[in-house]
Amino acid sequence: EVQLVESGEGLVQPGSSMKLSCVASGFTFSNYGMNWIRQAPKKGLEWIALIYYDSSSKYYADSVKGRFTISRDNSKNTLYLEMNSLRSEDTAMYYCAGGTGWFAYWGQGTLVTVSS
Amino acid sequence: DIRMTQSPASLSASLGETVNIECLASEDIYSDLAWYQQKPGKSPQLLIYNANSLQNGVPSRFSGSGSGTQYSLKINSLQSEDVATYFCQQYNNYLYTFGAGTKLELK
């Protein structure tokens, strides 16, 4: 059974930093591009970052470029999202999702709240 | 960025009815389109990829079609478990974008 389990949920102040993790199992993690997708409360889905299976390429949405960094450790089947200079508009449920193109695998999400 | 305009924003239909949801891309996306279903409090689930390919395990009452800039998701014989929000997503370039969603309710 495919599982993606995010962690790092919490409440942080504007301007601070936070790191999310996503541990994968049930599929060959090292063969898949991986993504972070977020969903603000009662809003739609926003793709924010993609990393290739071998970390050779990374892409970011304009809304997070220069503030967020996606990375992975294939030896640990783990995806990361380092988030800096957090803003109130970054408040959202953050999902990790597997696939380059379409997203066949999704985690359950982890909630990040940015508020003073 | 490629903008995805999804319609309608909400939809009310009866059990057994056929439902259509549309997605219009701001430029040709060459069938690089997926559809997702998201039930309240749950993660999205992939229904369709490459505009018309059914993901494994998805009921055959779901189908996708379209080309160029216009795409649609069709649900035949609506079931109660189909109540959800549906999103389209383009992957023609690496700045992936989603439609705003269509909330489907039972009449």
Side-chain angles (χ1 to χ4, degrees):
Chain A
E1 179 195 6
V2 170
Q3 279 201 313
L4 292 170
V5 180
E6 301 96 336
S7 60
E9 178 168 312
L11 169 64
V12 295
Q13 292 196 330
S16 63
S17 298
M18 192 173 191
K19 188 170 185 176
L20 305 181
S21 300
C22 169
V23 178
S25 61
F27 67 105
T28 307
F29 179 76
S30 58
N31 286 352
Y32 280 77
M34 294 296 296
N35 306 263
W36 288 99
I37 294 160
R38 69 184 180 184
Q39 187 169 33
K42 305 291 187 185
K43 298 293 185 183
L45 299 167
E46 180 188 18
W47 169 85
I48 57 173
L50 160 69
I51 185 168
Y52 275 15
Y53 71 100
D54 59 355
S55 302
S56 60
S57 292
K58 302 175 185 181
Y59 299 89
Y60 298 92
D62 289 344
S63 58
V64 305
K65 195 178 297 182
R67 299 188 300 124
F68 290 13
T69 301
I70 190 171
S71 61
R72 65 191 296 161
D73 185 339
N74 285 345
S75 69
K76 295 181 179 178
N77 283 358
T78 303
L79 176 73
Y80 303 100
L81 185 69
E82 181 87 48
M83 303 184 291
N84 297 319
S85 303
L86 282 161
R87 307 165 180 167
S88 58
E89 55 264 38
D90 295 318
T91 294
M93 184 72 77
Y94 284 74
Y95 296 101
C96 64
T100 304
W102 62 88
F103 311 125
Y105 307 137
W106 292 74
Q108 85 288 350
T110 190
L111 184 62
V112 173
T113 304
V114 183
S115 175
S116 54
Chain B
D1 294 10
I2 298 175
R3 293 182 310 279
M4 305 301 292
T5 304
Q6 200 173 327
S7 62
S10 63
L11 180 56
S12 182
S14 302
L15 292 174
E17 199 173 320
T18 295
V19 168
N20 281 285
I21 298 169
E22 309 289 329
C23 203
L24 178 67
S26 59
E27 61 187 77
D28 194 329
I29 57 171
Y30 302 94
S31 297
D32 291 335
L33 184 102
W35 290 96
Y36 301 88
Q37 176 192 66
Q38 186 178 32
K39 296 183 179 180
K42 300 292 188 182
S43 307
Q45 285 194 305
L46 177 67
L47 299 174
I48 301 282
Y49 61 95
N50 291 344
N52 59 16
S53 296
L54 193 67
Q55 172 69 352
N56 287 345
V58 174
S60 59
R61 63 179 180 274
F62 291 92
S63 62
S65 63
S67 62
T69 62
Q70 296 186 302
Y71 299 86
S72 63
L73 173 70
K74 183 177 179 181
I75 309 173
N76 284 317
S77 189
L78 187 69
Q79 305 294 303
S80 57
E81 59 263 33
D82 300 335
V83 170
T85 300
Y86 294 83
F87 296 93
C88 61
Q89 175 238 336
Q90 69 79 23
Y91 46 90
N92 183 247
N93 70 30
Y94 284 118
L95 296 181
Y96 302 147
T97 46
F98 288 90
T102 295
K103 187 173 183 179
L104 175 59
E105 298 175 324
L106 282 179
K107 193 180 290 183

